[in-house]
Amino acid sequence: MAIVLLLSPFLSNAEIKNVSTENVKIAGSCALCKEGIETAAFEKNTSKASWDKDSKMALVTYDSKKTSIDAVLKKVALAGYDNDRFLAPDDAYAKLADCCKYERAVKKQAVAEKKMTEHQHGAMADTQKNAAADTDPLKPVLDAYYAVKDALVSSDGNTASTNATNLVKAIKAVKMDQLASEQHMVWMKVMKDLDFDADHISETKDVGHQRDHFSSLSDNMYKLIKSGKPSEAVYYQHCPMAKEGKGANWLSQVPAIKNPYYGAQMLNCGKTTETIK
C-alpha cells in the first residue's frame, strides 16, 4: 500500500502523454476554490492542475497534442476564476460561494482597449467616410457594421444600439443599381435579414440579446462581402466558445482578435479563418 501511494503521482502523470507544464496565476481564496479550479482544469488523460491557495499559482499539466493552455484556462474562467489569460464571465463569478468571492482585478486592459478603439474609430471616420464610397457602394454598410462590432467588443449596449440604428440607415441607403451582378443577387437574398437583425440590435440595450442577433447579422454580412471585392481587407474571424460552444463568426477591419461575443471576459478568444480582399 505504501508503495502504491508513493507511486500514485507518477502514475497520474503517466496517464497524460506529450506532457507540457506551465505555471499560471489563477484567482481564488479558499479550499473550495482549489476544488473548483482543479475540477474545471481536469480532463481524463488530457489535462489537470494543482493550485496553491497562498501563492494563487497553479501548475497546469496537459497533453499538447490534445489541448492547449488556453483551452484549459478558458474552462477555468468559465467556472468563475480569473486567470492570467481570461477573465471569468460575470455570471459565472456571481455563482461562486461567498467564501470564494476573491477580489477581482481592475479590468485595465479592457478600459484601455475601449479608449483606443473609440479614438481610432473617431479619427478614421471622417477620412474613410468619403474615401472609396464612390467605388464601393457597400462601404458605408460595412463601416456601420464595424461600429456595432466595436461596441460589442466593449460590451457597451447603449453604443451598440445607436450604431445599429446607423447600420439600418446605411442598409436602406444602398443603391442596388451600383452593385455588381453577383453582389446584387446576394444583396437581394440577405437584405431583409440584415435589416431585421440590425433593427433588433438597435431596439435593445441588452448586450446578450444584441450578440444573438449579431451572430446571424455577421453570417449574412460575410455572404455579402464575399460576393464582391471590398476596397480594404476584411478579416473573417471565429470564436469556438460562443453560442454555448456552437461557435460564432464576425468580420473585422483588423487582423488582431477582439471578440465581440465575450468582450473583456475573453477578449482574444478566436482566430482569423479567412481574409477577404
Side-chain angles (χ1 to χ4, degrees):
M1 179 65 73
I3 293 173
V4 171
L5 290 174
L6 288 171
L7 289 177
S8 60
F10 300 100
L11 293 173
S12 179
N13 282 332
E15 293 172 356
I16 299 178
K17 299 179 181 179
N18 310 300
V19 173
S20 289
T21 59
E22 292 195 37
N23 282 293
V24 294
K25 189 171 185 178
I26 301 176
S29 59
C30 63
L32 191 57
C33 291
K34 178 179 175 66
E35 180 180 349
I37 291 167
E38 293 181 357
T39 299
F42 179 77
E43 184 175 349
K44 187 177 180 181
N45 299 335
T46 301
S47 64
K48 65 177 184 177
S50 177
W51 183 76
D52 181 73
K53 179 172 67 74
D54 296 323
S55 66
K56 315 300 181 189
M57 297 298 295
L59 177 64
V60 180
T61 305
Y62 60 96
D63 186 328
S64 59
K65 290 189 177 181
K66 291 183 178 180
T67 189
S68 66
I69 187 65
D70 276 1
V72 176
L73 292 180
K74 282 174 189 175
K75 292 193 294 184
V76 172
L78 288 173
Y81 302 96
D82 293 347
N83 55 70
D84 280 346
R85 305 197 183 192
F86 302 102
L87 293 175
D90 291 340
D91 57 346
Y93 175 80
K95 292 177 182 178
L96 295 177
D98 289 342
C99 62
C100 294
K101 294 292 178 64
Y102 54 88
E103 184 176 354
R104 306 192 76 182
V106 178
K107 301 177 182 178
K108 294 181 179 179
Q109 181 182 2
V111 173
E113 293 284 356
K114 180 179 179 180
K115 289 182 178 179
M116 182 180 295
T117 299
E118 291 174 346
H119 175 74
Q120 289 176 338
H121 186 72
M124 293 172 63
D126 293 336
T127 57
Q128 289 186 344
K129 188 176 291 184
N130 296 321
D134 293 335
T135 57
D136 184 357
L138 293 177
K139 184 76 164 56
V141 175
L142 189 57
D143 283 345
Y145 166 89
Y146 286 151
V148 174
K149 183 263 298 180
D150 289 342
L152 293 179
V153 168
S154 300
S155 299
D156 188 341
N158 289 328
T159 301
S161 174
T162 299
N163 293 345
T165 299
N166 295 332
L167 176 56
V168 171
K169 293 177 182 177
I171 291 170
K172 295 183 184 302
V174 170
K175 297 179 180 179
M176 289 184 287
D177 59 348
Q178 295 181 359
L179 298 174
S181 58
E182 183 180 352
Q183 203 160 42
H184 184 277
M185 292 178 63
V186 176
W187 174 257
M188 294 300 292
K189 293 178 181 178
V190 303
M191 176 181 61
K192 289 184 179 179
D193 290 333
L194 289 173
D195 183 69
F196 175 84
D197 286 318
D199 192 49
H200 273 265
I201 293 172
S202 72
E203 290 178 345
T204 181
K205 306 296 192 298
D206 184 329
V207 175
H209 187 58
Q210 290 173 334
R211 284 169 171 157
D212 288 340
H213 281 284
F214 185 74
S215 174
S216 53
L217 174 69
S218 297
D219 289 342
N220 285 311
M221 281 294 295
Y222 170 76
K223 296 174 185 176
L224 184 61
I225 300 305
K226 180 72 174 176
S227 67
K229 187 175 182 180
S231 56
E232 299 173 351
V234 176
Y235 301 91
Y236 190 50
Q237 299 174 332
H238 176 76
C239 171
M241 305 289 290
K243 297 175 66 175
E244 298 181 341
K246 296 178 182 178
N249 305 296
W250 71 94
L251 304 179
S252 178
Q253 68 274 51
V254 293
I257 299 298
K258 306 296 180 189
N259 192 312
Y261 297 104
Y262 286 106
Q265 293 170 355
M266 293 189 185
L267 188 64
N268 305 122
C269 178
K271 65 178 180 178
T272 297
T273 58
E274 183 179 353
T275 301
I276 308 170
K277 57 183 179 179

